[in-house]
Amino acid sequence: MELQHNSDMPLLGLYLKAGTSSNWTKLPPPLFSKAVIMLIDALRDDFVFGSKGVKYMPYTTYLMEKGASHSFVAKAEPPTVTMPRIKALMTGSLPGFVDVIRNLNSPALLEDNVIRQAKAAGKRIIFYGDETWVKLFPKHFVEYDGTTSFFVSDYTEVDNNVTRHLDRVLKRGDWDILILHYLGLDHIGHISGPNSPLIGHKLSEMDSILMKIHTSLLSKERETLSPNLLVLCGDHGMSETGSHGASSTEEVSTPLLLISSAFERRPGDIRHTKHVQQTDLAATLAIGLGLPIPKDSVGSLLFPVVEGKPMREQLRFLHLNTVQLSKLLQENVPSYEKVLNLQSRNVAHPSSGWSEVDHLLLLGTVGHVLSLGASSFVEEEHQTWYFLVNTLCLALSQETCRSYFLGDSCEPPRAFHVERHPEGAIVTLRESMGDEGAEPVSEGEGPSQPKTRRGHKQWAVLASPWLVLICCRLLRSLNQTGVQGAHRPDFGHWLTSSEHKVQLSGLAALSLLAIFMLVQRGCSTVSKAALALGLLGVFCYRAAIGNVLFPWQPDNKSITKGIIEARFVYVFVLGILFTGTKDLLKSQVIAADFKIKTIGLWEIYSGLVLLAALLLRPHNLPVLAFSLLIQTLMTKFIWKPLKHDAAEVTVMHYWFGQAFFYFQGNSNNIATIDVSAGFVGLDAYMEVPATLLTVFGTYVGPVLWASHLAHFLSSATSSGSALRCACFCYALICSVPVATYIILVTALRYHLFIWSVFSPKLLYEGMHLLITAALCALFTAMDQTGHTRMYMKTDTLS
C-alpha cells in the first residue's frame, strides 16, 4: 500500500491507514484476568479526593497516593440520573434525555455495550445491587440479586443486601466480572444532603468493603500470577441539596479509581488526578478485558492503563480505539448541514380600550413565551417570573391609586357580574361600579357604607399591592435557584444548617400556625379540627425525622423515619378531601344552594394545603404561608374591589403559580426535584403513590393557585360561565408555551445546550401541561353537571 505524506494529514490518520492492512485490528489478549466494578451511587469526587476521603476512606486514600492505582475525575454528562449514567459507563455513548423518564422503569439496553460483549466472549458475570442493571441487561448475569433504587428512606439494608454476598463470591473463582452497585450514599443525600453526618459513616463502610475486595483480589493473583482490576466509580455526583439530575459541578464530577497490581509504582512516581470523560470507561474496560469496543462509544482509552506496556502494544491499543471512532464518525456525521430560520412572531396590537394591567398581562405572557428560545432565559426563568409578578404589583398599585384618589375625574373600572335569582330560573347581568368594595350589599342595607369603614378599606386596598411586593421580595431570599445564583448563600441554607435548628423549628411552627389561621376561615368545624391536628402531625413528623425540635425534646432523641406521624397526617388529608368531595357531589346531584359547591371546593383546597405542608421541607413552609397570605390579600383587596374579570384573574393566578414554583426552590434542572417527598410515610417502594407525591410536591405552587382560582370564581358568581372562561383561558396560556417550546426545541435540536438546558425544561413543561389538563377537565366536568342541572330546573319551572 503506497502512502503519500501530506503535511495536512494528521499522524493519527497515518496510523489508521497503515493499520487497516495489518493484523492490528485483531483483538489483543486481555490485560486483566478478573474485573470488579464497585459503583457507589452519587459518589461525588470530593467525597474521595477531598477532606472527607482523607478522614473517612483511609485505605482508598492510601491506594491513590502510594498504591498501584490511577485516579481520575470523570465528568458525567447530563442527565445525571442513574440509568443514563449506567448506559454511558457500559456503552461509552451519550444517552438521550428521554432516559430521565425511562429511569423509572428501565427497558432492556439495545445498544452495543461491554456487558453484551463480555457475555458473547463467554465471560461469567455476577451482579448485586440496583435492579436497574437487571432491567438493562436481562439474561446477561449468571448470578444476580437486585435491590430497588427508589425507596430513598432506606440507606442501610439496601447496601447490606449487596455486601452479604461478598464473602461467598470472593472465595469462588468461577466468575470473570463482578459488579456491585451500592445505593445507600445516594439515599442519604436525598434525605439530608451531602453535609449529613451519615455521609461519613457510609464512606467508612464503603472503604472497608473496598479493602476487603482488594485484599481478596491480591490473594487470587498470587495463585494465578495474572493481574486483576478493581474499579471504584460513581454514576453521578450530588448537589449541595443532596439531589442530582442537572449539570452543576457537584453533580457531574465523579471519582474514577482503577486499582491493579499492573499499575505498580516506581520509587518517586507521583501520580496526579486527571480529568476524563465518564464515557472513557467503556473503551478502557473493553481493551482491558480483551473485548471489542462498543461500536457507539465516543470515549477514549485511558492511556495510563497501558502506559506500562511496550510502545508497539500502546500504539496497537490506540489504533483499535481510533478505528472504532472513525467508523462511528462515518456513520453519524451527515454530508450536509441544515440551517433553520426562525421567524419572529408578530404581536397583534391590543385594543385601545384595555387597561395598563391588561397590556401587562398580554405582553408579559407573550414575552415569556418568546424568551424560551434563549438558553440563558430558560436557565434563569425564575427571574422572568419574579420580574413579571413584581411589575404586576406595581401596575395594580397604580390602578388602586387611580380608583381611590382620582375620584370623579377618572371612572372606576366596570365589570359585568352574573347573578341568579333564588328560583334559579332567571339569569341577569348587572353592571356595577368599583367604589363599593368587594362585599355584596346585604338585604335591607343601603348602597352606601359608613365613611370610616370605607376609608379603612380604601387604605387596605392601596397597601395590598405593596404588601404582596414585600412578600415576594422576602421569598426571593429564601431559596436561590437557577444556574448563575444557585450556589450563593440564601436564607434556606442558613436555616437548614445544624447550628440553626432551633430557629428553623420556631419558623416552621409559626408558619404552620399562619397556615391554619389563613385556611380555617372557610372550613367547617370538623374540618377545622382535622386541619389543626393534621398541621400538628406535620410538625411531629418533621421532629421525628430530625428536621425540627420540640421544646421538650431531648438532644439525644433517636431519629426515625416518621412513618407513623406521616400516616397520621394522611388520615386527616383524606378526611378533609372526602368531606369536600361529598359537598361537591351534593351540590351537583341535588338541587341545593350553590354555596355548598363553594364550601366543597374550599374543603378540597384545604386538604391540598395540608398535604403540601407535609411534603414541603420545613424551611419551605414560609413559602406555603406567604402563598396563602397573598391569595387572601389579592382576593379581599384587589380582585373583588377592582372588579377584575375572569380572564384577568386567571392570568394573575397563573403568574403567581409559576412564581411560587420557583420560590419553592425549583428550577428547570432535574436536580432540584425533591424525590424524598414521594416517600413520606411509605415503608416500601410503591411506584404510583411515590410518583404522585413527588409530582405534587414539585408543583405545589401551580396546583394550589389553580385550585384557589376555581374556588374564587365559584364564590364570586353562581353561574358557571366565569369558571368555564377561566378553564379555557388557563388551558390556553399553559398550552401555547408548550406548543411554541416544542417548535423551538425541534429547531434547536443541534444546540450546544440541548441536553443540559432545553430538554429538562421540556419535561417540566410537559408535566405541567398534564397537571393543567387534569385540573381543567375536573373543573369543566364539575361545572357542566351544574350547568345541565340549572337548565333542567328552568325547563321544569317553565
Side-chain angles (χ1 to χ4, degrees):
M1 182 176 179
E2 183 179 355
L3 292 177
Q4 181 178 1
H5 181 70
N6 188 331
S7 59
D8 295 331
M9 181 182 294
L11 183 61
L12 191 58
L14 289 174
Y15 285 136
L16 176 59
K17 288 190 176 183
T20 54
S21 61
S22 68
N23 64 350
W24 275 30
T25 55
K26 295 181 181 179
L27 290 176
L31 302 176
F32 309 104
S33 175
K34 295 181 183 294
V36 178
I37 301 175
M38 182 178 175
L39 191 154
I40 303 176
D41 208 295
L43 184 64
R44 213 163 73 176
D45 64 328
D46 61 330
F47 288 173
V48 176
F49 303 135
S51 58
K52 284 187 173 67
V54 175
K55 182 177 181 180
Y56 299 112
M57 304 186 76
Y59 188 78
T60 305
T61 302
Y62 168 78
L63 290 177
M64 290 188 301
E65 295 179 350
K66 299 180 181 180
S69 66
H70 292 292
S71 56
F72 308 90
V73 174
K75 180 183 179 183
E77 297 294 333
T80 49
V81 292
T82 297
M83 192 271 278
R85 294 300 95 220
I86 295 176
K87 290 177 64 175
L89 288 168
M90 293 296 106
T91 66
S93 61
L94 299 176
F97 212 89
V98 72
D99 288 323
V100 173
I101 300 176
R102 292 178 179 173
N103 185 61
L104 300 174
N105 190 12
S106 306
L109 182 59
L110 302 179
E111 292 88 345
D112 191 19
N113 58 82
V114 175
I115 302 296
R116 177 184 296 177
Q117 295 287 3
K119 185 176 185 295
K123 295 186 181 295
R124 296 174 59 84
I125 312 172
I126 296 178
F127 169 76
Y128 303 115
D130 186 353
E131 63 182 6
T132 304
W133 288 79
V134 182
K135 296 177 181 178
L136 287 173
F137 309 106
K139 302 180 180 179
H140 286 69
F141 306 122
V142 296
E143 182 180 323
Y144 64 88
D145 185 10
T147 58
T148 180
S149 60
F150 294 107
F151 187 51
V152 298
S153 297
D154 175 26
Y155 50 83
T156 304
E157 294 300 325
V158 74
D159 285 345
N160 292 340
N161 287 337
V162 178
T163 307
R164 64 191 175 101
H165 299 284
L166 269 184
D167 292 333
R168 175 176 52 86
V169 172
L170 292 176
K171 291 178 182 178
R172 293 158 39 190
D174 59 345
W175 54 270
D176 300 293
I177 302 175
L178 174 62
I179 302 174
L180 309 170
H181 188 144
Y182 286 95
L183 289 163
L185 185 69
D186 177 68
H187 291 184
I188 292 174
H190 283 298
I191 294 172
S192 53
N195 298 317
S196 169
L198 298 174
I199 294 288
H201 296 296
K202 182 58 66 175
L203 292 178
S204 298
E205 177 187 346
M206 296 295 102
D207 188 62
S208 62
I209 293 171
L210 180 78
M211 182 173 64
K212 176 186 291 187
I213 298 172
H214 187 229
T215 304
S216 175
L217 291 179
L218 289 177
S219 65
K220 290 184 181 297
E221 288 182 3
R222 299 187 186 99
E223 302 173 2
T224 61
L225 300 179
S226 58
N228 298 320
L229 176 66
L230 172 57
V231 179
L232 174 66
C233 62
D235 53 347
H236 52 74
M238 182 188 299
S239 70
E240 286 301 317
T241 61
S243 187
H244 55 86
S247 56
S248 67
T249 303
E250 293 80 6
E251 294 166 84
V252 302
S253 300
T254 66
L256 176 59
L257 185 62
L258 304 181
I259 307 168
S260 175
S261 58
F263 308 147
E264 200 66 45
R265 298 184 189 228
R266 296 184 299 272
D269 184 3
I270 300 176
R271 298 176 180 177
H272 300 285
T273 302
K274 304 175 180 65
H275 288 261
V276 297
Q277 295 294 320
Q278 197 179 55
T279 50
D280 296 339
L281 182 62
T284 305
L285 282 177
I287 290 178
L289 296 173
L291 305 172
I293 300 176
K295 63 179 183 178
D296 294 326
S297 172
V298 297
S300 302
L301 170 67
L302 296 176
F303 187 74
V305 174
V306 299
E307 64 182 0
K309 300 293 180 180
M311 179 63 68
R312 184 175 180 83
E313 291 189 35
Q314 295 181 21
L315 292 176
R316 185 177 181 183
F317 294 137
L318 293 175
H319 176 76
L320 287 172
N321 197 185
T322 305
V323 171
Q324 177 265 323
L325 289 174
S326 66
K327 291 180 179 178
L328 180 65
L329 190 67
Q330 294 170 7
E331 293 174 0
N332 291 278
V333 174
S335 57
Y336 60 90
E337 295 182 357
K338 296 181 179 180
V339 180
L340 299 176
N341 296 322
L342 296 177
Q343 297 180 350
S344 59
R345 183 175 177 180
N346 293 326
V347 182
H349 293 286
S351 172
S352 59
W354 286 14
S355 66
E356 290 85 350
V357 173
D358 295 326
H359 286 129
L360 173 62
L361 294 176
L362 176 63
L363 294 178
T365 302
V366 174
H368 165 255
V369 173
L370 295 178
S371 71
L372 298 178
S375 61
S376 298
F377 278 97
V378 174
E379 289 178 332
E380 308 296 325
E381 187 181 358
H382 62 285
Q383 300 288 4
T384 301
W385 291 112
Y386 294 168
F387 172 78
L388 289 179
V389 295
N390 290 344
T391 308
L392 176 62
C393 291
L394 296 177
L396 291 174
S397 177
Q398 180 192 21
E399 190 176 50
T400 57
C401 290
R402 181 189 299 114
S403 300
Y404 286 94
F405 278 114
L406 295 183
D408 296 333
S409 61
C410 184
E411 189 177 10
R414 294 191 178 106
F416 288 102
H417 292 262
V418 183
E419 289 187 345
R420 184 171 58 186
H421 287 253
E423 292 80 3
I426 303 175
V427 179
T428 62
L429 290 175
R430 174 177 64 88
E431 183 182 16
S432 61
M433 303 299 292
D435 59 348
E436 290 300 325
E439 301 298 329
V441 179
S442 304
E443 184 177 357
E445 185 180 353
S448 61
Q449 298 176 354
K451 292 184 178 181
T452 304
R453 178 184 174 186
R454 189 169 59 181
H456 290 166
K457 190 162 190 175
Q458 287 179 352
W459 285 110
V461 171
L462 292 171
S464 292
W466 296 100
L467 292 177
V468 173
L469 189 63
I470 293 173
C471 292
C472 292
R473 184 60 188 89
L474 292 175
L475 289 175
R476 289 185 61 176
S477 304
L478 184 62
N479 291 302
Q480 292 284 359
T481 184
V483 174
Q484 300 297 328
H487 303 292
R488 296 175 183 172
D490 53 37
F491 193 49
H493 282 92
W494 185 85
L495 285 172
T496 53
S497 62
S498 58
E499 298 84 6
H500 305 113
K501 186 173 288 188
V502 175
Q503 292 85 341
L504 177 62
S505 304
L507 183 61
L510 185 62
S511 300
L512 291 174
L513 180 61
I515 292 169
F516 174 76
M517 296 303 298
L518 292 169
V519 175
Q520 57 86 28
R521 56 188 172 87
C523 297
S524 62
T525 304
V526 175
S527 295
K528 287 181 181 179
L531 180 64
L533 292 175
L535 293 175
L536 180 60
V538 170
F539 195 87
C540 293
Y541 165 72
R542 289 298 171 183
I545 65 175
N547 293 142
V548 299
L549 298 171
F550 277 120
W552 57 85
Q553 179 177 330
D555 294 336
N556 58 354
K557 180 184 179 295
S558 60
I559 298 176
T560 67
K561 297 179 181 179
I563 295 177
I564 297 177
E565 292 84 353
R567 291 180 176 178
F568 176 80
V569 180
Y570 281 136
V571 170
F572 293 109
V573 171
L574 294 175
I576 296 174
L577 292 176
F578 175 79
T579 303
T581 304
K582 181 190 67 175
D583 292 339
L584 200 59
L585 293 176
K586 183 179 179 182
S587 69
Q588 302 300 316
V589 178
I590 305 175
D593 191 347
F594 77 95
K595 290 184 178 180
I596 297 180
K597 173 182 173 182
T598 304
I599 296 174
L601 285 173
W602 186 263
E603 298 278 358
I604 294 177
Y605 171 75
S606 303
L608 295 178
V609 170
L610 179 56
L611 179 60
L614 175 64
L615 299 183
L616 290 178
R617 300 206 178 197
H619 76 278
N620 270 334
L621 287 176
V623 177
L624 182 58
F626 275 116
S627 177
L628 301 176
L629 176 61
I630 292 175
Q631 289 173 357
T632 303
L633 292 174
M634 297 291 285
T635 299
K636 191 171 183 181
F637 301 116
I638 301 295
W639 294 322
K640 287 185 177 180
L642 299 180
K643 301 294 190 295
H644 286 116
D645 58 30
E648 293 173 335
V649 173
T650 300
V651 177
M652 293 184 202
H653 272 82
Y654 175 77
W655 281 22
F656 276 103
Q658 292 296 98
F660 273 87
F661 175 83
Y662 295 102
F663 284 144
Q664 184 183 334
N666 291 319
S667 69
N668 288 324
N669 290 333
I670 304 297
T672 54
I673 297 177
D674 185 9
V675 182
S676 63
F679 302 92
V680 174
L682 302 183
D683 57 359
Y685 174 63
M686 292 181 284
E687 185 172 353
V688 175
T691 302
L692 294 177
L693 291 175
T694 301
V695 170
F696 179 78
T698 304
Y699 292 90
V700 162
V703 170
L704 290 184
W705 278 87
S707 303
H708 183 270
L709 173 64
H711 172 266
F712 172 78
L713 294 178
S714 297
S715 62
T717 174
S718 59
S719 172
S721 59
L723 190 56
R724 288 194 296 273
C725 173
C727 286
F728 173 79
C729 183
Y730 201 88
L732 182 65
I733 59 178
C734 283
S735 58
V736 168
V738 177
T740 306
Y741 192 67
I742 291 175
I743 298 174
L744 291 173
V745 170
T746 304
L748 299 173
R749 61 187 180 276
Y750 299 115
H751 195 280
L752 179 62
F753 300 136
I754 184 64
W755 296 125
S756 60
V757 178
F758 293 106
S759 294
K761 172 62 178 175
L762 185 61
L763 295 178
Y764 274 108
E765 288 294 332
M767 183 56 66
H768 188 203
L769 185 63
L770 288 177
I771 296 173
T772 301
L775 292 173
C776 290
L778 175 64
F779 295 145
T780 302
M782 173 193 68
D783 184 68
Q784 188 66 29
T785 307
H787 186 68
T788 304
R789 178 177 57 79
M790 183 187 73
Y791 276 101
M792 289 177 60
K793 186 171 182 181
T794 303
D795 294 338
T796 304
L797 290 174
S798 61

